[in-house]
């Protein structure tokens, strides 16, 4: 839903009711996971997607129906053996979608939720999907506040505590409770969607490749920072809007920057006096991805220097060098695609091989890696 919040905010501010359909459960192979959303607003304007095209028409009608009658409900879509063109997932999976009408009355905290997501603040949105509680009722949960209700005080208390836990881990999924929040019952299903701050991408080296990597990093949902010690190159005008640009020595900047397992570090400086001190710091952080640009010969020389500097073989083994997958790209934009492909592969545990040569499900139900 993060992708369409700007449009939802526009409708909400204008007082226009709209239908919001959210994927709350997935089984087997499916093109999009829990939390994917599609909204239908005034004049049948559509934002977002729940399946990449397979069942969008059916979900469009469902969203319009819930706005018309004011009643939330869920629907399950799966593969149709009899008619591949029927409303079904021809990829063989199954998704459950909750469609609900959204108004100021049903979602009093939506404007604040959208503002928190836009500003990178943590917030979770809990929605009843089934059971003896109002289907479609929502509760917005921040670390220190809430807005809305799921229908009972006990349920609100239990879900608030769990949503804050989910938010700390950036998790999204279904939870089950009793009608009044009882922990060991499963009468009420509640979908908790976490909007944790976006992960960081740190790009070192303010070169043309860095501009392309920064742009694709933003496209992938990262909060991008570019750092370079050379002040004439470290200027905001050379990078896409919204990219933070810092003029500082890379290793010094990284030492003072918060890094977690979701952080991506791309070293594009291509200069030992910057690369080696920076990698000494980077490879001892929790960053989930550390990649560095350079030829194979440069990689061998750099590896030797890192060993001389005291890094262990295990630390050096974390380094993705030369950076990116072998796509044969030449231009900065093509190289950026290869870097992004490796980041995505690392994040989700993909092989990087052509799907035509890989057996099994196209969308395996595995957890994202840090």
């Amino acid at each position: 839903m993060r992708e369409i919040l700007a449009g939802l905010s526009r409708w909400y501010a204008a007082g226009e009711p709209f239908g919001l359909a959210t994927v709350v459960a997935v089984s087997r192979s499916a093109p999009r996971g829990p939390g994917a959303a599609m909204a239908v607003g005034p004049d049948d304007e559509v934002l977002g997607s729940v399946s990449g095209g397979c069942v969008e028409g059916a979900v469009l009608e469902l969203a319009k129906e819930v706005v018309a009658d004011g009643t939330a409900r869920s629907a399950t879509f799966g593969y149709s053996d009899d008619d591949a063109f029927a409303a079904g997932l021809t990829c063989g999976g199954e998704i459950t979608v909750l469609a609900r009408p959204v108004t100021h009355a049903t979602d009093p905290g939506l404007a604040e939720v959208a503002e928190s997501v836009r500003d990178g603040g943590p917030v979770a949105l809990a929605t009843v999907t089934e059971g003896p509680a109002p289907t479609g009722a929502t509760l917005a949960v921040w670390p220190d506040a809430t807005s809305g209700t799921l229908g009972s005080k006990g349920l609100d208390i239990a879900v608030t505590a769990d949503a804050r836990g989910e938010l700390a881990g950036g998790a999204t999924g279904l939870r089950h409770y009793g009608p009044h929040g009882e922990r060991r019952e499963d009468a009420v299903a509640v979908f908790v969607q976490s909007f944790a701050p976006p992960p960081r991408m740190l790009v070192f080296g303010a070169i043309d490749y860095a501009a392309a990597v920064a742009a694709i990093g933003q496209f992938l949902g990262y909060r991008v920072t570019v750092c370079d010690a050379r002040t004439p190159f470290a200027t905001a005008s050379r990078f896409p809007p919204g990219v933070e640009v810092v003029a500082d020595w890379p290793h010094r900047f990284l030492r003072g920057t918060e890094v977690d397992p979701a952080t991506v570090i791309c070293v594009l400086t291509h200069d030992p006096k910057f690369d080696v001190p920076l990698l000494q710091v980077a490879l001892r952080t929790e960053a989930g991805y550390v990649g560095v640009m350079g030829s194979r010969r440069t990689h061998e020389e750099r590896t030797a220097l890192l060993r001389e500097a005291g890094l262990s073989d295990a630390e050096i083994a974390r380094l993705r060098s030369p950076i990116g997958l072998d796509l044969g790209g030449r231009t900065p934009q093509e190289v950026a695609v290869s870097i992004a492909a490796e980041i995505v592969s690392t994040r989700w545990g993909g092989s990087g091989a052509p799907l035509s040569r890989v057996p099994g499900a196209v969308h395996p139900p595995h957890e994202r890696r840090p």
Side-chain angles (χ1 to χ4, degrees):
M1 194 167 73
R2 185 190 299 270
E3 302 164 1
I4 62 174
L5 266 175
L8 304 190
S9 298
R10 171 167 48 88
W11 294 338
Y12 189 83
E16 299 279 4
F18 57 88
L20 178 62
T22 305
V23 176
V24 296
V26 170
S27 66
R28 299 189 301 277
S29 178
R32 304 203 67 189
M38 186 177 88
V40 181
D43 301 320
D44 291 346
E45 182 181 354
V46 177
L47 301 174
S49 169
V50 294
S51 71
C54 303
V55 299
E56 310 301 319
V59 175
L60 168 66
E61 295 304 319
L62 181 63
K64 291 167 62 176
E65 289 171 10
V66 300
V67 172
D69 62 26
T71 304
R73 53 187 171 275
S74 61
T76 299
F77 301 93
Y79 181 71
S80 171
D81 289 319
D82 296 329
D83 183 1
F85 293 99
L89 297 176
T90 54
C91 56
E94 184 176 274
I95 63 173
T96 298
V97 174
L98 174 71
R100 61 187 184 88
V102 177
T103 65
H104 284 263
T106 62
D107 289 74
L110 183 62
E112 289 76 15
V113 169
E115 182 179 4
S116 292
V117 174
R118 184 175 59 249
D119 294 343
V123 62
L125 189 64
T127 308
V128 175
T129 65
E130 62 179 342
T135 301
T138 63
L139 176 70
V141 180
W142 290 267
D144 58 356
T146 64
S147 177
T149 180
L150 302 179
S152 79
K153 182 177 180 180
L155 186 58
D156 288 348
I157 291 172
V159 172
T160 295
D162 289 345
R164 285 175 177 156
E166 299 281 6
L167 188 57
T172 287
L174 281 171
R175 282 188 167 270
H176 295 84
Y177 305 87
H180 300 287
E182 297 88 345
R183 297 285 183 176
R184 297 189 177 183
E185 298 185 24
D186 60 2
V188 179
V190 178
F191 181 68
V192 179
Q193 185 170 10
S194 297
F195 297 95
R200 298 195 68 184
M201 173 182 280
L202 306 177
V203 182
F204 294 95
I207 59 177
D208 49 358
Y209 289 97
V213 170
I216 204 166
Q218 287 183 314
F219 179 76
L220 292 177
Y222 288 94
R223 180 163 61 95
V224 181
T225 299
V226 175
C227 175
D228 197 306
R230 300 166 296 181
T231 303
F233 295 99
T235 59
S237 61
R238 302 182 67 241
F239 296 92
V243 172
E244 179 187 27
V245 181
V246 175
D248 197 356
W249 279 86
H251 67 284
R252 183 169 60 193
F253 171 76
L254 185 58
R255 278 203 189 101
T257 299
E258 184 176 348
V259 173
D260 61 29
T263 302
V264 164
I265 297 176
C266 299
V267 180
L268 311 180
T269 43
H270 209 274
D271 187 331
K273 70 174 177 289
F274 295 123
D275 292 356
V276 174
L278 172 60
L279 291 173
Q280 287 178 254
V281 178
L283 292 172
R284 288 173 171 165
T285 68
E286 293 184 303
Y289 176 93
V290 181
V292 59
M293 180 175 281
S295 67
R296 298 193 189 282
R297 177 179 176 180
T298 298
H299 170 68
E300 292 176 0
E301 294 172 351
R302 183 188 292 126
T303 298
L305 290 172
L306 290 172
R307 284 199 178 96
E308 289 177 11
L311 270 72
S312 68
D313 288 344
E315 290 169 331
I316 294 172
R318 297 182 57 212
L319 187 59
R320 302 279 179 156
S321 175
I323 195 170
L325 298 185
D326 179 19
L327 304 183
R330 294 292 186 270
T331 68
Q333 291 73 23
E334 290 172 341
V335 170
V337 169
S338 78
I339 294 171
E342 185 175 48
I343 291 170
V344 172
S345 176
T346 302
R347 185 182 189 188
W348 293 101
S351 67
L355 286 171
S356 60
R357 300 178 186 174
V358 178
V362 173
H363 306 286
H366 54 224
E367 293 296 322
R368 183 183 73 184
R369 295 181 178 180

